[in-house]
Amino acid sequence: MGQMKTPGVYIVEKNAFPNSVVEVATAVPAFIGYTEKAENRGNSLTNKPWRITSMAEFHQYFGFGPTRELTRFSLTKVTGAVPAAAATPLAARDAVPMTSRKTGYLIAQTRGFYLLYYSMLHFFQNGGGPCYVVSVGGYKEDAGIQIEAKPLTDGIKELEKEQEPTIVVIPEAVLLPKADCDSVQQAALLHCGQVMKNRIAILDIWEGYQDRSAQPDCVAGFRDAIGINDLGFGTAYYPWVNTTIVQDQDLSYANIDDDSLDALIDCIKQELAGYDMPPAKLAQQTAEVEKIKTLEKEKLSEVALLAKSLTTISPFFVSVLAEMRKRLNVLPPSAAMAGVYTMVDNSRGVWKAPANVSLNSVVSPTVSISSEQQEDLNVTAQGKSINAIRSFIGEGTLVWGARTLDGNSLDWRYINVRRTMIMLEESIRLASKALVFEPNVANTWVTMKSMIANFLTGVWKRGGLAGAVPDDAFSVHVGLGETMTPEDILEGILRVTVLVAITRPAEFIEITFQQQMQKS
């Protein structure tokens, strides 16, 4: 205060408490992919990270999914033996679940290969909350897969401008050819581990819907291609999951290619001809079937009404819808896991391993895994651990693993340890900015030490740090002769050392039984 020159009473307020550390958000995923639109009141949101909190906001800014407008399937009649699988429009991938067979007909998806919208639905249905969306482009009506690697990689770079996201998810990377998918996932690990150092990447296994007995082994291919850099900042899950995201009412005959409508109509007519019904009723239902080619697909309400009518008269049409829905509901698990991370963080804390948790809107994993088969996923000589998604009788589909890709590291083996350390580092770093340019003297050191110690005590009380007393859980060191030399002070460097004992999950529980002598 200024000098007291006038007689009177002067009041001087002094801070009684040190600055506090505010805990940063721990589960704010950033999703990168293609959307129907990307605009906010006429302003483009393409390649701009945009924060949303619900699917209603996603619809407002990024539109809806490709189901009705773009997703198309071909229906091909097969003469003779039905092949086990048929090639898809992308030559680099064959024998994938985009192709199904049903009584002499092959159903193959020809366009509308987009996953972000369905992944966002899966994220929110598994407990998701605030997140960021980076739209790298709009839907294209061309046949085949229209996903490209460069826009996805550029979307990762756009996240460098945002500090809040803590998880990076790119579900559509698995639609790329193998080499492009690997490059995008490596870019995500590089972004998390070297550029930002405050987030982790949840990766999907390319063709992870296949059994490992199929050749080539999808898990081995993932491990070979992912490299050895920044593995502590990434995690992966296997296999993909069969979901209930897309419902029958989301599909209709409008999702059949125009070239395949004749085959659909002929098959339904043959089915009706085999029924024992009056000629007048047969003619009425046949005329109803003929509307498939004449009714404009843009009239969504009339199309939905006709599709509902067809489901009542044609079991074959019902089976066609079921096959299309089954194909679209095969999803990679990364988005659902981002939702699980959010739910576990909100209910238990970031230090709780996101495992032994059931997945919502999931019927089953695409591949059933036994305990013996999980051994090679969990522990390998190279340390690239893959977390299993397994189905247990009476319990549903559970996440049965909580390891990072750096499975041999004693420091960063578990994903909750990595994420807890990120939370502590970011919280303390942001709070310490208030002391930049303060005098490098004992008063500043005491303030820094008490500020960090109070924060870590609160984390310990909530179960985030291991130890019977705070001294066993953490220690904070700062001061001349302890963490700094006189040269450090002359150079303007204040060094603080924080030691923390982070809780680790009880991944293996051993119970020993032994007989004892009768005592009475």
Side-chain angles (χ1 to χ4, degrees):
M1 62 178 295
Q3 295 181 355
M4 291 179 281
K5 296 182 178 181
T6 303
V9 178
Y10 296 85
I11 296 176
V12 179
E13 291 186 354
K14 291 187 176 181
N15 294 331
F17 307 104
N19 293 338
S20 61
V21 178
V22 178
E23 184 176 320
V24 299
T26 58
V28 184
F31 294 89
I32 303 172
Y34 290 77
T35 59
E36 181 184 34
K37 65 177 184 177
E39 63 176 11
N40 176 28
R41 299 179 180 178
N43 298 318
S44 176
L45 296 179
T46 302
N47 287 325
K48 180 179 180 180
W50 192 255
R51 192 178 192 271
I52 65 171
T53 58
S54 64
M55 277 307 297
E57 291 187 11
F58 185 92
H59 293 154
Q60 177 184 351
Y61 300 117
F62 300 102
F64 292 80
T67 304
R68 289 192 183 276
E69 291 77 10
L70 294 176
T71 303
R72 293 289 186 270
F73 290 83
S74 65
L75 185 63
T76 307
K77 188 174 183 179
V78 180
T79 57
V82 180
T88 64
L90 188 63
R93 303 178 66 198
D94 26 297
V96 299
M98 298 170 188
T99 303
S100 308
R101 81 190 147 137
K102 190 73 177 178
T103 320
Y105 283 86
L106 283 176
I107 301 176
Q109 188 174 357
T110 57
R111 65 188 67 196
F113 297 92
Y114 298 101
L115 293 178
L116 181 61
Y117 179 76
Y118 306 130
S119 297
M120 294 300 303
L121 288 172
H122 211 195
F123 166 69
F124 283 109
Q125 290 180 11
N126 278 277
C131 63
Y132 282 77
V133 176
V134 183
S135 175
V136 299
Y139 300 151
K140 299 178 182 179
E141 297 185 5
D142 300 338
I145 297 178
Q146 303 299 321
I147 304 296
E148 298 178 2
K150 189 178 184 304
L152 296 177
T153 305
D154 292 342
I156 296 174
K157 294 180 181 178
E158 292 297 324
L159 290 176
E160 296 176 10
K161 305 172 185 177
E162 300 291 338
Q163 286 294 325
E164 188 179 12
T166 58
I167 302 171
V168 177
V169 185
I170 316 174
E172 290 179 334
V174 296
L175 296 177
L176 296 166
K178 180 69 166 63
D180 291 341
C181 177
D182 296 335
S183 66
V184 171
Q185 293 181 338
Q186 289 172 353
L189 286 179
L190 177 67
H191 168 82
C192 296
Q194 296 186 28
V195 178
M196 302 303 295
K197 299 183 179 180
N198 64 351
R199 58 197 61 170
I200 59 104
I202 304 180
L203 307 180
D204 294 306
I205 307 295
W206 191 79
E207 292 193 343
Y209 50 79
Q210 290 189 348
D211 195 302
R212 296 191 63 187
S213 60
Q215 295 300 321
D217 182 354
C218 58
V219 173
F222 174 83
R223 285 170 168 163
D224 291 341
I226 202 63
I228 61 173
N229 298 327
D230 309 306
L231 295 181
F233 288 86
T235 183
Y237 293 84
Y238 172 82
W240 293 14
V241 288
N242 297 311
T243 71
T244 58
I245 299 298
V246 180
Q247 300 292 322
D248 283 338
Q249 58 266 26
D250 297 327
L251 301 168
S252 70
Y253 67 85
N255 297 107
I256 301 293
D257 280 338
D258 293 339
D259 295 340
S260 299
L261 289 180
D262 287 333
L264 177 65
I265 292 173
D266 291 342
C267 189
I268 297 178
K269 284 183 176 180
Q270 293 176 14
E271 195 174 35
L272 293 176
Y275 295 156
D276 184 12
M277 66 175 70
K281 185 175 182 180
L282 177 60
Q284 178 185 2
Q285 293 188 352
T286 302
E288 190 80 2
V289 175
E290 289 290 349
K291 290 182 181 180
I292 290 178
K293 294 196 69 175
T294 60
L295 189 61
E296 297 181 10
K297 294 182 178 180
E298 289 75 13
K299 299 179 179 179
L300 298 181
S301 59
E302 296 182 23
V303 168
L305 187 63
L306 178 56
K308 185 176 181 180
S309 176
L310 293 176
T311 57
T312 62
I313 65 176
S314 173
F316 176 76
F317 181 69
V318 173
S319 66
V320 169
L321 291 182
E323 288 292 340
M324 293 192 297
R325 173 179 51 80
K326 181 179 178 181
R327 153 67 192 104
L328 294 175
N329 275 322
V330 176
L331 295 178
S334 58
M337 290 310 308
V340 168
Y341 284 18
T342 304
M343 183 268 294
V344 172
D345 287 5
N346 292 335
S347 61
R348 298 288 301 276
V350 67
W351 43 83
K352 165 66 174 67
N356 200 4
V357 179
S358 62
L359 293 177
N360 297 331
S361 301
V362 171
V363 178
S364 64
T366 57
V367 178
S368 180
I369 299 177
S370 65
S371 297
E372 291 75 17
Q373 292 171 329
Q374 189 182 353
E375 290 180 4
D376 181 64
L377 292 175
N378 205 46
V379 181
T380 65
Q382 292 75 27
K384 297 178 182 179
S385 299
I386 308 295
N387 299 309
I389 297 177
R390 296 178 57 185
S391 182
F392 295 90
I393 298 176
E395 296 182 84
T397 302
L398 304 183
V399 182
W400 209 243
R403 293 195 172 202
T404 68
L405 291 171
D406 198 2
N408 284 349
S409 170
L410 295 179
D411 285 312
W412 313 118
R413 174 177 297 174
Y414 298 109
I415 189 64
N416 59 302
V417 175
R418 173 75 272 175
R419 297 180 65 235
T420 301
M421 185 62 78
I422 288 176
M423 182 272 290
L424 297 178
E425 292 171 352
E426 283 298 292
S427 300
I428 294 174
R429 181 183 69 84
L430 294 176
S432 300
K433 280 188 174 182
L435 299 178
V436 174
F437 298 114
E438 290 293 317
N440 200 354
V441 295
N443 286 341
T444 303
W445 305 339
V446 172
T447 300
M448 176 76 78
K449 184 173 183 178
S450 61
M451 177 181 69
I452 298 175
N454 289 340
F455 170 65
L456 294 177
T457 300
V459 175
W460 168 76
K461 287 181 178 179
R462 291 155 56 198
L465 300 177
V469 294
D471 290 342
D472 295 339
F474 66 87
S475 61
V476 184
H477 306 275
V478 58
L480 182 62
E482 188 173 6
T483 61
M484 294 178 289
T485 65
E487 288 76 15
D488 290 332
I489 295 179
L490 292 176
E491 293 176 358
I493 299 175
L494 192 158
R495 300 185 189 276
V496 183
T497 300
V498 182
L499 306 178
V500 291
I502 299 179
T503 59
R504 274 153 167 83
E507 188 177 17
F508 308 101
I509 298 178
E510 178 180 318
I511 301 175
T512 301
F513 285 88
Q514 183 176 343
Q515 295 191 54
Q516 65 177 9
M517 292 296 296
Q518 181 175 326
K519 295 183 178 179
S520 61

